[in-house]
Amino acid sequence: MMTTEVVTPFNEIAAREERFQLATYKKMPVAAARGLGAWVETAEGVRYLDLYGGHAVAATGHCHPRVVEAIRAQAGELLFYSNLVYSAVRARAAEKLVGCAPAPLAKTFFCNSGTEANENAMRMARMKTGREGVVTFTGGFHGRTADAISATFLGKYRELGRPNVPGHLCAEFGSIESVAAVADDTVAAVMLEPIQSMAGVRQAPPEFYQELRELCDERGMLLIYDEVQTGVGRTGEWFFAGSEASAGVVPDVVTLAKALGSGVPVGACLTTDVVASSIRENDLGTTFGGGMLAMAAVTATLEAIEEEGMLANARAVESHLRGRLADVPGVAGVRGRGLLLGVEFDSESAARIHKALLERRIITGTSSDPRVLRLLPPLCLSNGEVELFVEALREICREIF
Ligand SMILES: Cc1ncc(COP(=O)(O)O)c(C=O)c1O
C-alpha cells in the first residue's frame, strides 16, 4: 500500500515543544529529523552541515552504521540489566575502553552523563584521601548536579546551584601558584577540563599539567581530568591524558560522557588500581550505569573510531582547517586541538557569525567568550566539508570585517 508521509511544518513543531517543554535552552530554528555523518536533515529534507556534532556527542558522525547496527542488535537481545548481574556486553565495553586508555588507568565505573561522572570522580577522591575539598578552575565547566555545579567557576552556573556544596575552592586556570595557594591539607583532588571548552577553548602549556601532577603527588591529592569534551578521540588522540599536550601526564581519574556512546547516554570514570583499591562494594552506584544498550554503543563507538582511522583523520582535518582559516579576514587565531577548535575573531562577533552560518545551513557553537566560535564536528569530517565551511565563513567575514 502506498503511504504519503505527512511532514509537520517547523512552526508547529516549535510551538508544540514550547508549549509542553520548559524553555531551558536557546534553540536554533531547526527541527532535526535525520542524520548521517556530518549532516543533519529536517523532515522537509533541508540539510545542515553539523560542525557542532550534535552538542559534541556525534564523534563517530550521526547514525554511524556500525553503532546503529550494534544498538539494533542489542535491543533485540537484552535492553537492560543492572550491575547486579554480569554481562558479556559490559565486560567487552569495559575492556575496550581500558584498552584505549593510557596506563595506569585500568578500571572503569559506568554511569549516565558527564555531571554524574564528575560527581563520582570527586567522591572517589574523597574516599581515597579521607579529605573533602576539591580545587577547580576559573572557566571550567563540570555539569549541573549539586557537587559538579559547585565545582563550576564559569559565569553564572555556580550561582544557579545554590546552596553550593561546601569544600569547593577556586584556582586560576594555568597558574600553578594559585593552586598551591589554595590546596591545603583538606583538599582531596584537583579537577580540571584540560582544555576548557565552554570558556572559549582555553588550553594551558604542557608544563602546567606537569606541575599539577607534581603538586598533587607532593600534597597527597588526586588529579582528575574532566574529559567529557576532550575524551574519546576529540583531540585527535584517545584522551588528553597521557598526550604530548599533557606533557605525558596521566591523572588518577578521567571522566567521560558525550561522545562515548555516540548519542546513547553514557558516562564513565576511568581510574587506577590504586584508587580502585579504596572503593568498596556499594560505595558508588547507579541503576542505569553499565546497561547493555549503552555498553553496545560504547564498544561500537570505540571500534568505529579505531578501525576507520578517525584519530588520524581528526588531526589531518585540523591541520587542513588551520591552514585554510589563516587568511580569512577577521580571524585572529585558532585555538584547541584535533576537532575541539575555537576560531577566535578580532571582535566580539561570534554570535553574529554563528547566526550567519546557520542561515547558510552550517551549525557551529558559540562559547562564553564572545570572540570565539566553537567547532566540535564529527571526527569523520572531510576536507571537502571543511571547504564548505571556510567558503561560507570567508563570505560572512568579508561583510563584517
Ligand atoms: C567539560 C564538561 N564536563 C561536564 C559536562 C556535563 O555533562 P552532562 O551534560 O552529560 O552532564 C559537560 C557538558 O557540557 C562538559 O562540557
Side-chain angles (χ1 to χ4, degrees), residues 51-68:
L51 301 183
Y52 199 49
H55 214 133
V57 165
T60 55
H62 292 285
C63 293
H64 190 287
R66 182 179 195 133
V67 179
V68 170

Side-chain angles (χ1 to χ4, degrees), residues 25 55 112-116 118 141-144 193 195 197-198 226-230 255 257-258 374:
Y25 278 83
H55 214 133
N112 307 284
S113 64
T115 198
E116 199 188 348
N118 288 334
F141 181 84
H142 300 293
R144 295 187 184 247
E193 273 185 275
I195 300 177
S197 181
M198 273 172 73
D226 172 346
E227 296 219 43
V228 167
Q229 293 222 13
T230 57
T255 63
K258 293 222 188 261
R374 265 187 314 158

